[in-house]
Amino acid sequence: MCFSKIFAALVIMSLFQVRAFAGEKTAQTPWLNTNLIGAVKNNDYHPSLKNDFYGAVNYEWLINAKLKPGYSRTGAFTELQDELDANLRAIMTDKSLTGHDAEIVQNLYSLWLDWDKRNKNGLGDLPELIREIEAIKTLDDLNKFFMSKTSFNNSLVIADFGLGLDNKDSESYNLELVPTGLSLGDSAEYKNLSTNGARTKKFNDSVANYMLRRLGYDESKISGIIASAFEFEKKIAAHMMNVNELESPEAIEKTYNPLSLDDLREKSKIFPFADIIEAHKANSRLMNLQQPEWLKALNDLYTSENLDSIKAYLIRNLASSYMGKIDEPAYRELQRLSNERNGTKGSKPDNEIAVDFVHGNLSVPVSKLYLSKHVSSQTKDEITQIMRDTVKFYREMLKSEKWLSEQTRAKAIEKLDSMRLNSAYPDKWVDYSDLTINPNGTLLEALESIRDFGIKKYFYDRLNTKVDHDLWISDVTVVNAYYKPSENSINIIAGILGGDFYNSSMSYEQKLGAIGMVIGHEISHAFDTRGAQFDKTGNMFMWWTAEDFKEFNERADRLIKYLSTMIVDDTGTHYNGALVHTETIADMTGIKAMLGIAASHKGFDYDKFFRQYAKIWKLVQTRERIDSLLKFDVHAMPYIRVNAIVQQFPEFFDTYKIVSGDEMYLAPDSRVAVW
């Protein structure tokens, strides 16, 4: 249950696209959009280091890059993930491995690939679950359904709840009360459907149509279910925060609304939210209602008149969620629809998809098996040292920032010195010895076992307990790093320690330009417009003075305006600077930190440093994927997050002798670095 929504798997497959301009240059953005697959070759584009640094460094790669079957992108991240997945595939097929972790991982891998068994099992228990929903005739029936195991175990809900960390008591878990899942992802889409939203809706409708036909519904009934489900979403979406609002700094305070079970009962008198929580024995002394206006609207919509629409929403979601888990005809159709949605061709081989599936469902056992073969303690130690060096630079940077008051400066340094530095992998893991995967059972039965184990281990066993910070990651086999404000921790996990990002034989300059920059980037989030709202212990507390925070936001606004001048597509649409500004601040500060460290190293090779920074963002992708990223992703496009970042630093201009008139030049009074 927790925060996963019924459409989560489908949205992940279909999430990425708006419209990326097809390669043309503009006055506001002087560089070709080299992240669009084929743009460099099709435009006969030959960039120089002085005019398009990103394009010049990555030119040979960009010219030759090809998308593998079933992929909507390729780049430094996907290349490294492919390496990781190849290692994981070897683990999942190595019968010499022994122990419980190897057993459950290899059993699930085999069950996914066993099409004969999956075809024989067909729709599994789906028809029976659908009949339970169809049997609902009254609101009282619906109330009882939401209090049933069927609803809880299958996330068949219109209001969800899951485990989170209390923003003002970071040592304790709380119960997060979560809004209704939206198949289009963003509530704004229900007012003005974008190109991306239209593609997503077509995909979702096609998935639902196929599965409902498989369940025996006729075309008239199918059309009615899909239309009614969407109509219910549209009504509730009008009262939900959109993506821009949720990503704004103000959202942290707006979405923190603590309450008791009695408070919830008072706020939700029609929809029996409190009774549902009690029925599932999920009451917590700490509860948070993320969006009060949504809950008020849900109570207004929870009527007999809307009963059929709510049932349609549940039926559509349940049927759609099974498409990737049942037989081969359903899965092949899902692949076809995903290709249409994402602008991709062909499909990943089944054994690679099986690796992704097992990895996604058994991340802890998979991670432990991977670490035993591929990550050394020496790597962990080296990354930890770079983290410490970066923290040291930040301390000096904060001391020297003239616009900070002494009060804010002291609090910032105190937060920095309290930061948890989590490197590569934890020393403690969740125990999976209670989980059994029957090799003679079915895939759906295995997923039920994993689900029941997860609900107990990750929900009930933690509810109303204190946080164990030693359990800081559950999956080290993804290419990722992150800052967690509720723990004031920076987490550089093993999955990103390879490829263009890190290897032990890299030069020191390359390490700083790659993994060093990533470390500097993540630490910066402790002091951006969102991280600034959490103190050294991870509690929500504004430790900035009002004057300093006003100055910080004015600096951020200059960056937002700068990014918003850039044209991002052939319709003349401007970049959403407000959406991407915090990540851009982190990029700029990450580079500044590494350049600060470099200054103390005699003979530092800045060319190696800047080139490696450009290499970690090499990427090409389909237009459809770019369209969605421009709408949902808080990171700038890679060619912008290289070129617009290096422009902020004199070391870059000195290294490549860049002067006014070069397209990579940016005058000092136009530079917008926040720190």
Side-chain angles (χ1 to χ4, degrees), residues 478-539:
V478 292
V479 184
N480 196 18
Y482 60 94
Y483 172 77
K484 192 171 184 178
S486 59
E487 292 187 341
N488 189 26
S489 66
I490 174 178
N491 306 274
I492 309 299
I493 61 179
I496 202 169
L497 303 178
D500 289 319
F501 294 91
Y502 170 84
N503 68 65
S504 58
S505 62
M506 277 181 171
S507 69
Y508 183 66
E509 291 88 348
Q510 289 173 312
K511 288 175 181 175
L512 291 193
I515 198 63
M517 179 273 165
V518 171
I519 291 168
H521 170 111
E522 299 304 339
I523 291 177
S524 171
H525 283 310
F527 311 103
D528 65 20
T529 51
R530 293 173 67 87
Q533 298 178 58
F534 293 84
D535 66 13
K536 67 176 183 178
T537 63
N539 287 326

Side-chain angles (χ1 to χ4, degrees), residues 49 53 509 604-612 655-656:
L49 295 172
F53 183 71
E509 291 88 348
F604 189 87
D605 190 330
Y606 288 93
D607 178 54
K608 285 184 178 180
F609 170 81
F610 284 116
R611 284 177 182 272
Q612 195 63 31
T655 300
Y656 300 105

Side-chain angles (χ1 to χ4, degrees), residues 535-585:
D535 66 13
K536 67 176 183 178
T537 63
N539 287 326
M540 190 171 79
F541 176 75
M542 177 49 72
W543 47 271
W544 290 62
T545 66
E547 295 78 11
D548 287 349
F549 199 59
K550 180 174 181 289
E551 170 69 17
F552 183 82
N553 280 303
E554 287 174 354
R555 287 167 170 261
D557 284 343
R558 289 201 300 273
L559 173 61
I560 291 170
K561 289 175 183 175
Y562 171 68
L563 292 169
S564 297
T565 63
M566 298 182 180
I567 301 294
V568 297
D569 67 21
D570 47 9
T571 67
T573 302
H574 283 257
Y575 215 63
N576 187 347
L579 181 66
V580 302
H581 82 280
T582 57
E583 293 296 335
T584 306
I585 291 172

